[in-house]
């Protein structure tokens, strides 16, 4: 109780606009996690989402990435693999323009950069990018941070062309302490929202919430696999807020998911033919 109370007090102070702006500026100056600027990490993210897209189509057309973080290396790899354009949106301008990473990924990055549209600040919930303008929409460790996941998923469905594919790696853990990954489920929405700053908000959606939202938005799920599982006993679940007590133990044990889906060609839900 003391811990969460302290978080609420801190967050109340941080919500004051000039304080929030100063904290955001300091975070951007410090830069994004350097480990994520590695070839191995960037390629692993590309391989994961390109792999999902290739289940139904070749890499091509217009690609949208949500929350690229400190670099646009994954966008570069999508272009090198055949995409026509790559758009990246983020709520904060983390991405660096001049990194050795880019030359390690492709011989000559300059021509690729002309086809990358990096848009900040732009949130998935509010972006006004046009309807049905993307063939592939993907994100990595981003959707758990969106303030309004229902709207975010509806927006993804709106932005996808019929036949388009979407793929997302989502970390479902309590980011305050990965050793206690479900601890945050003890609180009501009101308490949790009061304790979290918008910049590093974690929305607490479980695997079943994401699956329901994708289906409700008219998307056909390709995979919704747990990429990380933990323990959750009945006794642990009994300590959660009633909203989470209603979830199955299997659902609660899922601590990370890869979810991909396709936007059907027609309202009847026909899938596009496999390549
Ligand atoms: C944990 S970082 C992951 C960055 C990168 N994808 C990676 O794998 O390292 C989450 C990213 O999502 C961005 N983000 C958070 N909420 C967002 C939103 N509503 N719309 C777009 N991007 C958002 C953050 O600014 C940040 O760049």
């Amino acid at each position: 109780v003391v811990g969460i109370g302290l978080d609420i007090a801190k967050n109340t102070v941080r919500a004051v606009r000039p304080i929030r702006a100063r904290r955001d500026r300091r975070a951007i100056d410090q830069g994004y996690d350097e480990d994520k600027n590695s070839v191995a990490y960037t390629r692993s993210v590309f391989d994961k989402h390109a792999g999902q897209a290739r289940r139904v189509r070749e890499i091509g057309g217009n690609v949208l990435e949500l929350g690229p973080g400190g670099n646009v290396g994954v966008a570069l790899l999508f272009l090198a693999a055949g995409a026509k354009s790559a758009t990246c949106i983020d709520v904060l301008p983390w991405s660096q323009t001049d990194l050795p990473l880019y030359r390690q990924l492709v011989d000559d990055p300059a021509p690729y950069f002309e086809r990358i549209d990096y848009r900040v600040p732009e949130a998935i919930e509010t972006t006004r990018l046009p309807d049905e303008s993307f063939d592939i929409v993907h994100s990595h460790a981003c959707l758990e941070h969106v303030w309004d996941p229902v709207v975010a998923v509806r927006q993804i469905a709106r932005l996808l062309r019929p036949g388009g594919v979407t793929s997302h790696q989502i970390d479902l853990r309590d980011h305050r302490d990965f050793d206690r990954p479900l601890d945050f489920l003890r609180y009501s929405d009101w308490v949790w929202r009061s304790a979290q700053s918008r910049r590093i908000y974690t929305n607490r959606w479980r695997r079943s919430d994401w699956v329901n939202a994708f289906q409700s938005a008219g998307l056909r799920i390709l995979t919704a696999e747990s990429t990380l599982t933990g323990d959750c006993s009945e006794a642990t679940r009994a300590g959660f807020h009633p909203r989470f007590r209603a979830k199955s133990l299997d659902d609660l044990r899922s601590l990370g998911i890869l979810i991909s889906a396709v936007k059907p060609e027609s309202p009847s839900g026909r899938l596009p033919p496999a390549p």
Side-chain angles (χ1 to χ4, degrees), residues 14 18-28 197 199:
R14 287 171 186 162
I19 296 178
R20 195 164 104 195
R22 203 174 55 226
R23 277 173 50 80
D24 283 355
R25 264 198 311 275
R26 205 184 312 142
I28 292 160
S197 80
R199 178 160 57 81

Side-chain angles (χ1 to χ4, degrees), residues 111 149 157 175 188 195 254 256:
H175 285 41
S188 69
S254 183

Side-chain angles (χ1 to χ4, degrees), residues 22-256:
R22 203 174 55 226
R23 277 173 50 80
D24 283 355
R25 264 198 311 275
R26 205 184 312 142
I28 292 160
D29 288 346
Q30 276 168 0
Y32 198 75
D33 185 353
E34 283 296 318
D35 292 347
K36 304 286 166 63
N37 292 337
S38 75
V39 172
Y41 180 77
T42 310
R43 280 203 186 282
S44 73
V45 173
F46 168 76
D47 287 346
K48 182 167 271 196
H49 302 296
Q52 290 303 310
R54 285 185 177 123
R55 290 174 64 170
V56 286
R57 53 163 299 134
E58 307 289 349
I59 302 302
N62 309 112
V63 176
L64 172 64
E65 179 174 7
L66 319 177
N71 67 72
V72 290
V74 178
L76 215 59
L77 290 178
F78 266 101
L79 291 171
K84 220 163 56 192
S85 76
T87 303
C88 303
I89 62 171
D90 206 315
V91 289
L92 285 174
W94 297 111
S95 183
Q96 293 172 267
T97 44
D98 192 19
L99 286 174
L101 169 72
Y102 300 135
R103 280 178 301 281
Q104 290 160 359
L105 293 174
V106 293
D107 285 342
D108 181 11
Y112 291 109
F113 274 107
E114 284 165 22
R115 290 189 280 141
I116 297 179
D117 183 13
Y118 179 66
R119 303 163 71 100
V120 284
E122 193 156 315
I124 180 58
E125 296 99 312
T126 49
T127 181
R128 300 176 110 177
L129 286 164
D131 292 358
E132 303 193 346
S133 49
F134 294 97
D135 300 279
I136 298 170
V137 178
H138 67 94
S139 74
H140 203 89
C142 173
L143 285 184
E144 67 269 28
H145 296 295
V146 303
W147 189 256
D148 194 337
V150 172
V151 173
V153 176
R154 281 196 202 132
Q155 284 272 73
I156 290 168
R158 176 184 75 75
L159 293 166
L160 272 178
R161 284 203 181 94
V165 195
T166 191
S167 173
H168 307 270
Q169 178 68 43
I170 313 176
D171 187 340
L172 308 179
R173 293 173 296 175
D174 185 342
H175 285 41
R176 296 172 308 167
D177 182 353
F178 286 153
D179 290 333
R180 300 168 67 182
L182 296 175
D183 206 50
F184 60 172
L185 303 186
R186 296 188 291 133
Y187 309 115
S188 69
D189 283 338
W190 184 85
V191 168
W192 183 246
R193 287 196 165 222
S194 310
Q196 289 269 297
S197 80
R198 269 188 177 240
R199 178 160 57 81
I200 47 161
Y201 180 67
T202 312
N203 56 45
R204 305 192 295 169
W205 264 29
R206 311 323 299 160
R207 180 180 174 279
S208 58
D209 298 316
W210 290 109
V211 169
N212 289 340
F214 273 63
Q215 288 171 335
S216 303
L219 299 171
R220 293 272 303 273
I221 306 271
L222 291 171
T223 190
E225 67 181 87
S226 288
T227 50
L228 182 67
T229 49
D231 289 333
C232 182
S233 64
E234 283 188 27
T236 308
R237 181 175 59 182
F240 292 162
H241 186 267
R243 175 156 112 64
F244 299 105
R245 259 182 253 153
K247 302 273 183 203
S248 73
L249 290 177
D250 191 43
D251 194 16
L252 292 167
R253 285 178 185 136
S254 183
L255 301 180

